Amino acid sequence: MSARPNAVATAASSASSDSSAVSDSSSDSSACSGSADPACAAPLPVLGRDVTVPLVTGGEVTYAALDYAASAPALQRVWDDVAAYAPYYGSVHRGAGYLSQLSTDLFESSRVTVAEFLDCRPDDQVVFTRSTTDSLNLLAAVIPADCEVFVFETEHHASLLPWSDARVTYLNAPRTPAEAVRTLEHALAGRDPYGPALVCVTGASNVTGELWPVKELAAAAHAHGARIVLDAAQLAPHHPVSVRDLDVDWVAFSGHKLYAPFGSGVLAGRADWLQEAEPYLAGGGASRKVARRADGGVDVDWHTTAARHEAGSPNVIGVYSIASACKALTEAGFDRLVAREQQLVARVREGLAEVPQVKVLSLFGDDAPRVGVISFVVEGWNSSHFAAALSAEYGIGVRDGLFCAHPLVRTLLGTDPQDPGECGAPEAEPGERSLNAIRVSFGAGTPDEHVERFVRAVRELVADGAKWTYHTEDGRCVPAV
């Protein structure tokens, strides 16, 4: 079935037009100088852009969401598309009714949209999952039993931890992109040349934002008979990702980082290991035929399509939201989005460089290309205390901690991996070391004012200190009442 109800099609078209209109009218950031419009200069409008939050010092301010690396706000386009579809929601792949057929068509057309967004090869499969973490755990469940896995210690835990049932080689943090390639080549040269191997690497660090040499790492992997999976959770929202051009075997990403907050993810790439393995989840949808045997057991004929690993009723709204976000980003134009984001990156880095007490964390150095993700520490401040003050006194939401990348942050902070963490209270015990940092992250929905407010807040907090007293409550640093 290919036709959609007019209400759904019209609303989706309207959302697309509205997004384009906002993008066109806000492309000149100079027009926003002094403007109080919270959406000013943001290429793509997002939900929450007009939400106000109370300040502990009194009054309210428009919330500055600068934690995109954890979960990006929903695009208005995505929300409108989902709202238009919601009345037509039905079961997928199971029903003969019109709404079920409509939902099935929407689900499968979303698969095509994602494949186009990723520039997949004709034989690649797009499997819908719950998240990047789920995607990589799925891949870990289907790799051959004798597979050897190579992963840098710099990975997010979603990429670092799923391989416990395989032979894993953890590679030390490289200090340049070229060193990353050399480190991988050296490790692969020492492996069994006849056995299967898999390399797992991020496209953009969730801690430093730095871009990794994915294409070169893929070439190194293939030269040594290994396959490679790209964790694109932080890359896909900021840069175009081409499976063909990068020559990766699989790519994984999450909807909630791609402005599509409904609990879905993607694993896309080669089909052979996926087809040969037992289903990730056993159940309805994964099976084509189930029959009782004479001995009392059952015989199962599993699907060989993506459905093999999509058992159960799928999250059609989550899947459709990913497809909507893919279309919105594509239509907005990545060249334009990247250029504008790099202006924000430069402004944040320039602002932080003006404060001597601030140290920006980096693996590859100041000149390394990066997405809108920057982590730093402030001399004389516990990072959780600083983040709490940004929130309570300036209405700015950032992230503090180790960012689910503990080995990497510990390496960047120069701390012993065995050092105990600290809850973030400003009144830390004497001699206790802080093992946390502050991360600011932004994207296509970030207005200039949010970045300018952040830079000003850092400068003021370092120069004047917090205006409020903070203490630890349930493991978090919060304003004292």
Side-chain angles (χ1 to χ4, degrees):
M1 179 180 177
S2 58
R4 292 197 293 164
N6 289 337
V8 178
T10 300
S13 176
S14 175
S16 177
S17 299
D18 290 347
S19 295
S20 298
V22 172
S23 178
D24 290 341
S25 66
S26 61
S27 59
D28 183 3
S29 61
S30 63
C32 294
S33 178
S35 172
D37 180 1
C40 194
L44 291 174
V46 295
L47 295 183
R49 60 189 181 273
D50 54 356
V51 168
T52 60
V53 294
L55 300 181
V56 72
T57 51
E60 292 187 341
V61 67
T62 303
Y63 183 64
L66 296 179
D67 194 16
Y68 277 45
S71 284
L75 289 179
Q76 184 68 56
R77 155 75 174 271
V78 170
W79 192 260
D80 291 344
D81 281 355
V82 168
Y85 162 65
Y88 304 94
Y89 170 80
S91 61
V92 177
H93 299 148
R94 312 284 201 276
Y98 183 76
L99 298 191
S100 290
Q101 293 182 55
L102 169 68
S103 295
T104 298
D105 179 67
L106 208 62
F107 187 82
E108 292 303 331
S109 65
S110 295
R111 201 188 304 274
V112 174
T113 297
V114 171
E116 292 172 348
F117 179 74
L118 295 173
D119 191 24
C120 288
R121 299 159 295 234
D123 295 334
D124 285 338
Q125 284 189 350
V126 173
V127 180
F128 290 117
T129 65
R130 293 176 296 177
S131 59
T132 308
T133 302
D134 195 36
S135 295
L136 293 171
N137 275 270
L138 163 57
L139 187 60
V142 305
I143 61 176
D146 57 343
C147 187
E148 189 171 2
V149 177
F150 297 83
V151 57
F152 286 94
E153 67 172 350
T154 47
E155 293 291 312
H156 186 282
H157 294 170
S159 304
L160 190 72
L161 302 180
W163 320 104
S164 57
D165 292 336
R167 291 179 294 149
V168 186
T169 298
Y170 295 103
L171 307 175
N172 292 334
R175 286 299 183 169
T176 66
E179 184 183 344
V181 177
R182 290 195 301 270
T183 298
L184 179 62
E185 288 177 332
H186 178 75
L188 291 173
R191 80 174 189 90
D192 176 3
Y194 301 104
L198 177 69
V199 176
C200 181
V201 68
T202 189
S205 171
N206 77 302
V207 176
T208 68
E210 293 165 316
L211 299 178
W212 277 62
V214 177
K215 191 169 185 176
E216 292 80 1
L217 291 168
H222 294 153
H224 290 275
R227 300 187 182 189
I228 185 168
V229 57
L230 168 63
D231 175 356
Q234 300 296 339
L235 184 64
H238 303 275
H239 275 268
V241 175
S242 170
V243 170
R244 295 180 206 241
D245 182 59
L246 295 174
D247 197 22
V248 293
D249 297 279
W250 293 277
V251 60
F253 70 88
S254 293
H256 73 100
K257 298 186 192 299
L258 195 80
Y259 311 97
F262 291 97
S264 278
V266 169
L267 177 67
R270 295 180 61 158
D272 52 352
W273 284 3
L274 293 167
Q275 292 173 347
E276 293 163 5
E278 289 295 303
Y280 182 46
L281 296 173
S287 57
R288 286 191 297 192
K289 179 182 178 182
V290 180
R292 289 293 301 273
R293 296 195 306 264
D295 63 4
V298 294
D299 287 322
V300 184
D301 182 15
W302 301 107
H303 279 294
T304 58
T305 63
R308 184 184 189 91
H309 300 290
E310 294 176 344
S313 296
N315 181 1
V316 60
I317 287 180
V319 166
Y320 182 41
S321 72
I322 288 179
S324 174
C326 289
K327 289 180 180 179
L329 290 168
T330 300
E331 291 166 6
F334 265 112
D335 288 346
R336 181 182 185 186
L337 296 178
V338 170
R340 195 264 174 168
E341 183 178 299
Q342 289 309 301
Q343 293 177 349
L344 298 184
V345 170
R347 180 65 190 106
V348 171
R349 289 179 58 79
E350 289 167 0
L352 295 179
E354 294 170 355
V355 184
Q357 295 86 346
V358 171
K359 175 188 175 184
V360 173
L361 305 184
S362 176
L363 269 177
F364 300 153
D366 290 343
D367 295 333
R370 66 196 72 221
V371 300
V373 179
I374 299 170
S375 295
F376 63 98
V377 292
V378 182
E379 181 182 346
W381 284 80
N382 176 275
S383 293
S384 294
H385 184 195
F386 200 88
L390 286 173
S391 174
E393 300 178 25
Y394 294 90
I396 298 171
V398 298
R399 180 67 48 128
D400 64 277
L402 299 177
F403 318 126
C404 293
H406 295 186
L408 171 56
V409 178
R410 286 180 169 126
T411 294
L412 295 174
L413 292 178
T415 55
D416 188 321
Q418 301 305 315
D419 281 348
E422 182 258 313
C423 72
E427 56 271 28
E429 293 294 328
E432 188 173 15
R433 303 183 69 177
S434 171
L435 292 181
N436 54 357
I438 306 152
R439 183 181 69 192
V440 56
S441 53
F442 39 86
T446 304
D448 291 359
E449 189 276 328
H450 290 184
V451 166
E452 292 299 335
R453 192 194 319 171
F454 167 77
V455 170
R456 183 179 71 252
V458 170
R459 186 165 52 241
E460 291 179 359
L461 284 172
V462 172
D464 305 328
K467 300 181 180 68
W468 208 260
T469 301
Y470 297 80
H471 70 277
T472 302
E473 184 177 298
D474 296 328
R476 293 295 304 164
C477 192
V478 298
V481 178

